[in-house]
Amino acid sequence: MAAASSSSATVTNIMLAIYEKKTNSIDLYRPLRQYICFTYSEREAVNLEDDLSTVKTLRSDIERVPDPAPTTRRDLLISYFKALCLIETRFPISPDRDHINSIQFTWFDAFKQKQKAVQQNIHLEKAAILFNLGAVYSQIGLSYDRATVEGRRQASHAFIAAAGSFAFLRDNASTKASMGNSTTVDLSVECAGMLERLMLAQAQECVFENTIAKGSTPGVCAKISRQVGLYYEEALATLNAAPLKDHFEKAWIAHVQLKAALFYAEACYRYGLELHEKEEIAEEIARLRSGVSTLTEAKKSSKGAPAQLLDAISKLEVYLNRNLERAMKENDRVYLMRVPSPSSLPPLPAFSMVKSMQMNDVLDASKEKMFASLVPDSSAKALSRYTEMVDDVIRTQAEKLQQGSELTRVRLKEMDLPDSILALEGNFSLPEDLKNEVEKVQASGGPAGLEAELQQLRDLRRVNQELLVQTEELLQKEAAEDAQFRSQFGTRWTRPQSSTLTKTLQERLNKFAANLKQAGESDVRIERSVREHSSLMSILNHRPIEAALPSLSRPIMSLDANEDAIVGALKQSLRQLETLGAQRAGLEDMLKEMKRKDDILPKLMTSTGSYEDLFRKEIAKYDHICEEIAQNIEAQEQLLMQIQVQNEEFGAVFNLEDYKASREKCYKQIQAALAKCKEIKENINEGLKFYVTLQDAINNIKQQCSDFVMTRNIQCREMMEDVQRQMAGFNFQDRESTGPYPSVGQPRQIPRSSTQQLTESQSISHPSPQTPYYRPPEQPMHGYGHPPPPYTAPQQPSPYHVPPSTGAPYPPPHAQQHAPVGHEYGQPAYPGWRGPYYNAPAEQSGSHPRPPYTIPNPYHPHQSGYYKQ
């Protein structure tokens, strides 16, 4: 496998190409020449010397490392395949003693190169060459510049040719090459069919990209995109079934699976645009939801997929969710239409712009002149014709069996069987996606676990309130001490009052308090929402959740009491239908086994009569299986008609329509409970994150207040000493008229007698002599970091919001008194409760002390938070 990428108009264009099969060297020249000499004459061998040399050269070129130019390699493979067709009809290559038995063709599996096939017949050689031809065509397609319209057109044609090569391999050579005991999976019918679907998908994908580039309507784009997805889905189904299962790398399967999901979702997106233009909002919502769910499911199995493809899926998911949100808002406000379930919608329309190239003309060897003088071997021709007859019989019967199985599946689904019978017996089941959602919610605690999370909110709010009180008490205590000394010393106490220095800090504390108050009100509303919706969410407490589903009960009153007979007859018919399905599987296996053992070559070599008589006798071996298949299909049709009548009677007696309605109602109730529970959990989680972030911010400003108080205490001791010296009559240096201590921001001269004291005090987080009083530090102290920046909209601030500081946690001194509100630690809370909690990014590790509470986050909060409009 090879992969390459190029830019695309819509998605990252990651496509696949196939590596060629490898072979061992063999000598065709000598065995073929010896056969000509032995069967015909030496003169004939001399006359055909050029043809023999051509075959030798072609085979030698095939064995060499592939030519750097894929087109040259393509022409070589086509020429050699035509030569093989001519050799097949003239030279019998087999283990038989009278045939050319010295040639052994060896080919290695293209996907598991340790596996190889070794056969003494030309069918393996032809099948391998066809496989390599398809591989080279895929490489040619990958070599074009698909960033341009013309490049994509040429790539599409190359992929169509690759699909034609693999289809030709499947229909004409795979069966013959698989007849021997030594075979490889890559040449099987299943693998050839899968590769054909894959190449058609990539060809259609190129057409889709050109359609987007031309600006075609959304409806046209949706049809073409859906067909791309269908081709990928068909390839994926074959990859996941025997014999290809576990044969390919996981990256292959992941690539095909993601491409199938991607183009189905792309079709939903494009079709949704057309529906929006037609104002068919309800179906648009259902289609978009289906696309989102498909992408979500596909990403679960994306291991090994390329990052570009995953990025394309993520981008498309964003577009789908954006349009879905828009459509839901319009429906809620304007249209008020009932949104159907995605399963009730008809399939998306699809239109194929590509089909496999017919390779008959490309590979036709009838006009070649090689070995023209040799008389064709009639036995080899007859064997080839008989093999084609057998292939046709098997292909026709296999299609009948597959159609019968598909018909059964569709008809039973239409009649809601056997689900209604299982419901009567108490074996309920939820849709798989809904059950998975319920299990996730229950695993995270369910509705019963909301109270513990609410208690965490209360505890964190209490801790923040206590921190605020402690911080305010620090400032109040310092202010009281300053007022006491000012009253004691009067005019000698010349330093600024505390209230003039702590104004900004006090404003921030007040805003924190206001935020806490508003957040508390939001918490109360959350608790009220939990109480009001507890009855709605209580359905999620059922374990298992199937216990909450309504039961299909027997009628209370019955006139003839024949309910058991009706149910028994319907069950019996379903068992018979299951038996018929098992018989079809056995018949298909029997066909394959008969074909594997069907070897009439010895009879052909010894037959002296008409080949037609021998063919009729041998092909008659398959008549009894064909008859059994026809009887099986007919019996199934009769049984399905009988089941339909029995099911109508069953539905009338057991009031099946009412049961279906109540079941759907229960499904919707579970969905509503899931939505509400997840909504509340998301809101609680955002509240928890807000409180933890706010706690860090309060701790930060508390540290700032502690630094301020410590600095003021040092200044207080210095001024006390100065005042005491003045009162004792000591001589001091002249001071300015404003007093011995300048105002905030003015430098002062430090007396020599106090130099040592100031030096000692500076070692205790003391401001420099140029900033004698209090100046908020321009850098956060070691061990304290910035609170994480929130994502807030200035038009609609969140109730839980702690705005960040830019650069340093506190603004510089000249900006402290005029800092805008948006750059403070506190910010007015959101006036209503229908807004998100504080939506901050994850904190950097080590920037803050570990919060006292850890926040469980089973549900990642959406961008809009809990309070959605």
Side-chain angles (χ1 to χ4, degrees), residues 229 232 236 250-266 294-313 316:
Y232 276 117
L236 179 63
K250 292 183 179 179
W252 261 77
I253 299 176
H255 175 93
V256 176
Q257 184 173 1
L258 289 179
K259 276 296 186 79
L262 178 66
F263 282 96
Y264 172 79
E266 182 76 24
T294 299
L295 291 182
T296 303
E297 189 64 26
K299 288 194 293 185
K300 296 178 182 178
S301 304
S302 60
K303 184 177 181 181
Q308 299 96 320
L309 186 54
L310 294 175
D311 183 60
I313 287 180
L316 179 57

Side-chain angles (χ1 to χ4, degrees), residues 33-49:
R33 193 180 193 285
Q34 290 176 353
Y35 180 80
I36 294 173
C37 293
F38 179 79
T39 307
Y40 300 96
S41 66
E42 177 66 28
R43 182 181 179 86
E44 190 69 29
V46 172
N47 293 337
L48 296 174
E49 187 68 27

Side-chain angles (χ1 to χ4, degrees), residues 824-837:
E824 301 289 351
Y825 272 97
Q827 178 173 320
Y830 186 76
W833 77 297
R834 288 204 168 267
Y837 275 105

Side-chain angles (χ1 to χ4, degrees), residues 125-144:
E125 185 82 345
K126 291 177 65 179
I129 295 303
L130 286 173
F131 183 96
N132 284 358
L133 181 60
V136 168
Y137 270 124
S138 71
Q139 295 167 16
I140 293 174
L142 216 63
S143 67
Y144 289 113

Side-chain angles (χ1 to χ4, degrees), residues 93 119 133 198 266 309 315 339 357 374 405 467 488 505 507 553 557 565 635 779 828 832 850:
I93 301 175
Q119 294 186 20
L133 181 60
L198 178 62
E266 182 76 24
L309 186 54
K315 290 180 180 178
V339 179
M357 179 186 292
L374 295 182
S405 299
L467 284 174
Q488 180 179 351
L505 293 175
E507 289 177 353
S553 305
M557 297 182 62
Q779 297 296 331
R850 183 178 296 277

Side-chain angles (χ1 to χ4, degrees), residues 790-826:
Y791 300 96
T792 58
Q795 297 86 352
Q796 197 173 18
S798 169
Y800 293 115
H801 176 62
V802 182
S805 58
T806 57
Y810 314 107
H814 64 272
Q816 284 256 0
Q817 305 300 325
H818 305 286
V821 175
H823 295 276
E824 301 289 351
Y825 272 97

Side-chain angles (χ1 to χ4, degrees), residues 758-766:
L758 287 175
T759 303
E760 294 173 353
S761 62
Q762 287 173 358
S763 64
I764 314 175
S765 301
H766 184 256

Side-chain angles (χ1 to χ4, degrees), residues 199 225 263 274 289 320 350 426 467 539 548 578 594 840:
M199 293 299 107
S225 175
F263 282 96
E274 183 181 59
R289 284 176 176 171
L320 286 168
L467 284 174
I539 194 173
E578 187 176 355
M594 284 189 64

